[in-house]
């Protein structure tokens, strides 16, 4: 599904397997009738344990526009392994309006602010081979009432 979800980086099978095993507690999989329709990979960065970093979000083409990605983000921040995180971060290229809309809507729903700054730059970090990745920072994440 990741490979079919441009502009996401496909990564290696090895990387995907690590996400699904070592980081399973901070990932979300959506299925309908046994078919995988959505996936979020995320983790708590060791150097910033107050954050949840969203690596990739993908929804199968046939299931887009139904609010699934937004619901998966809501599910992510309610997971036990995400409790205590006060900030959600991710990186997005300028030319991905769907992703900006997704995270903008998430921030609005939570009454949080979204700020952006350059994290990995086209020339300095990607030798011109990849667009600049902007870090979106959404805070505060209200603590989930249990
Ligand atoms: C981005 C993606 C995950 C959105 O999934 P989705 O389930 O269709 O998204 P949702 O239905 O939950 O929509 C969430 C918000 O984004 C908006 N949105 C969704 N797709 C959009 C698009 N193509 N263009 C503009 N806005 C879009 C929705 O209108 C909604 O905003 P709203 O609540 O203000 O109306 C999906 O299009 C996808 O997999 N794209 C390819 C991979 C990718 O770019 N992933 C994001 C990078 S991490």
């Amino acid at each position: 599904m990741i490979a079919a979800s441009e502009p996401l980086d496909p990564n290696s099978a090895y990387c995907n397997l690590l996400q699904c095993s070592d980081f399973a507690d901070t990932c979300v999989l959506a299925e309908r009738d046994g078919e995988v329709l959505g996936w979020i990979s995320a983790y708590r960065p060791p150097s910033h344990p107050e954050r949840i970093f969203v690596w990739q979000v993908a929804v199968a083409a046939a299931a887009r526009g139904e609010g699934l990605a937004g619901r998966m983000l809501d599910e992510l921040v309610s997971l036990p392994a995400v409790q205590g995180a006060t900030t959600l971060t991710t990186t997005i290229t300028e030319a991905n309006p769907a992703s900006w809309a997704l995270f903008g809507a998430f921030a609005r729903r939570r009454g949080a602010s979204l700020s952006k700054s350059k994290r990995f730059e086209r020339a300095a970090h990607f030798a011109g081979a990849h667009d600049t990745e902007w870090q979106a920072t959404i805070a505060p994440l209200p603590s989930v009432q249990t």
Side-chain angles (χ1 to χ4, degrees), residues 67-113:
L68 179 56
R71 290 204 304 281
M72 290 195 299
L73 278 181
D74 290 341
E75 174 69 17
L76 174 70
V77 297
S78 75
L79 294 175
V82 180
Q83 297 321 296
T86 56
T87 303
L88 182 150
T89 60
T90 192
T91 71
I92 311 174
T93 56
E94 199 74 74
N96 192 338
S99 194
W100 286 110
L102 170 65
F103 286 98
F106 172 81
R108 279 197 305 279
R109 272 202 307 286
R110 302 204 160 241
S113 66

Side-chain angles (χ1 to χ4, degrees), residues 6-8 57-59 64-70 96 98-99 101-102 105 108:
E6 285 185 7
L8 297 183
V57 183
V59 168
R64 289 180 191 168
E66 299 174 13
L68 179 56
N96 192 338
S99 194
L102 170 65
R108 279 197 305 279

Side-chain angles (χ1 to χ4, degrees), residues 14-51:
Y14 183 79
C15 169
N16 293 142
L17 288 167
L18 286 177
Q19 290 175 325
C20 304
S21 51
D22 284 352
F23 297 97
D25 290 350
T26 50
C27 292
V28 175
L29 184 77
E31 291 178 293
R32 185 161 58 203
D33 299 329
E35 186 188 355
V36 174
L37 293 181
W39 166 247
I40 293 183
S41 50
Y43 61 88
R44 302 286 290 266
S47 56
H48 287 284
E50 79 285 6
R51 296 181 187 170

